[in-house]
Amino acid sequence: MSWVSLSIQTDNTHAEVLSDAMLELGALSTDIHDAATGTDEEQFLFDEPGESPGEIWSTSELTALFNTDVHIPSIVEAAAQAAQLPSLPSYSVTYVEEQDWVRITQSQFSPIQISDRLWIVPSWHQAPDPGGVNLILDPGLAFGTGSHPSTQLCLAWLDENLFGGEDVLDYGCGSGILAIAALKLGARHVVGIDIDPQAIAASRQNAALNQCDETMTEFFTTHVSTGKGIPNEAADVVIANILANPLMVLAPILMRATRLGGRIVLSGILMEQAEDVVNIYRRWFDMHIAREQVGWVLLSGTRR
């Protein structure tokens, strides 16, 4: 079995219209991405929850996947008419053959070293350091494979700042990677909460994969606006790897979840957003930028 992959370079005015036209014309899937990916002209665009959708890349590439029995020139012509292009765009075609997609996906994920002792290891790999602290984690539906800088910042902070015996709350736990790491690094008890039931299911599965003691590891769903589901007892460490806007909205909830003298750790924040987040949390915490990685920052503070 094989498919035809059609690629067209376009601009931000016509990319989504062309994508919709391709789907109407029988495309199995479409994808719009930065045509300059991997070059000095690459544009890094991020949207935040609660904001209106941002613009797409000024020079975009649209890729559409079709069955092999279609007539590509006719599709391109019809899509160009639907998008009201002044002329037919140039395009390229490649053929996608059936492959062992599981094996190919697995080949994209290798062990990630966070520190001298802390590793993230997919279950199909041997641990590079069997004597280290190894987080066994497979990519899945929930965020948190360990490849994103914001997750790595959190893991490095936990590795350096947990001394053993802490109660840790992971707010927005995703895959559960931070809660599991905290337990393996010496926390007494960890709680992970998320608004997504699939994330909770993934966290519990990953905790079992890492042989976490069920009496020391708990995962719950929560309501984003009320904080319902957060433990009544405040935690020694509250860690939240989300995004800047939700972190600012959640500030009162995360404050109440942190004991006096406890520490808060915030990530998923771009450098240019850090000041806004710090200014909100400064009301209750002595905040500072603790770490930075390729434009992402981790904020840390102690509750007064």
Side-chain angles (χ1 to χ4, degrees), residues 66 93 117 125 143 146 181 209 257 266 272 288:
F66 292 90
V93 172
R117 62 170 178 166
H125 274 279
F143 177 80
L209 186 64
L266 308 175
E272 57 266 28
H288 67 282

Side-chain angles (χ1 to χ4, degrees), residues 52-124:
S52 58
E55 64 180 35
I56 61 175
W57 301 274
S58 55
T59 304
S60 300
E61 184 173 61
L62 167 67
T63 302
L65 194 68
F66 292 90
N67 288 319
T68 55
D69 58 354
V70 300
H71 187 247
I72 293 295
S74 299
I75 288 174
V76 173
E77 182 177 0
Q81 290 177 352
Q84 299 182 342
L85 298 181
S87 61
L88 288 180
S90 60
Y91 63 91
S92 62
V93 172
T94 58
Y95 287 88
V96 180
E97 300 297 331
E98 179 68 80
Q99 301 178 60
D100 184 344
W101 302 110
V102 172
R103 181 180 59 81
I104 291 173
T105 300
Q106 290 179 345
S107 70
Q108 299 173 7
F109 294 90
S110 298
I112 300 172
Q113 186 172 15
I114 302 299
S115 70
D116 290 342
R117 62 170 178 166
L118 182 59
W119 290 80
I120 305 164
V121 185
S123 63
W124 55 85

Side-chain angles (χ1 to χ4, degrees), residues 14 17 30 32 34 38 45 48 71 86 104 126 137-138 146 168 198 224 289:
H14 298 101
V17 180
T30 62
I32 301 171
D34 188 356
L45 303 179
E48 287 272 3
H71 187 247
I104 291 173
Q126 290 291 326
L137 199 76
D138 295 339
V168 177
Q198 286 188 328
V224 67
I289 296 177

Side-chain angles (χ1 to χ4, degrees), residues 24 75 138 144 227 229 233 286:
E24 290 289 333
I75 288 174
D138 295 339
E233 292 188 10
D286 296 320

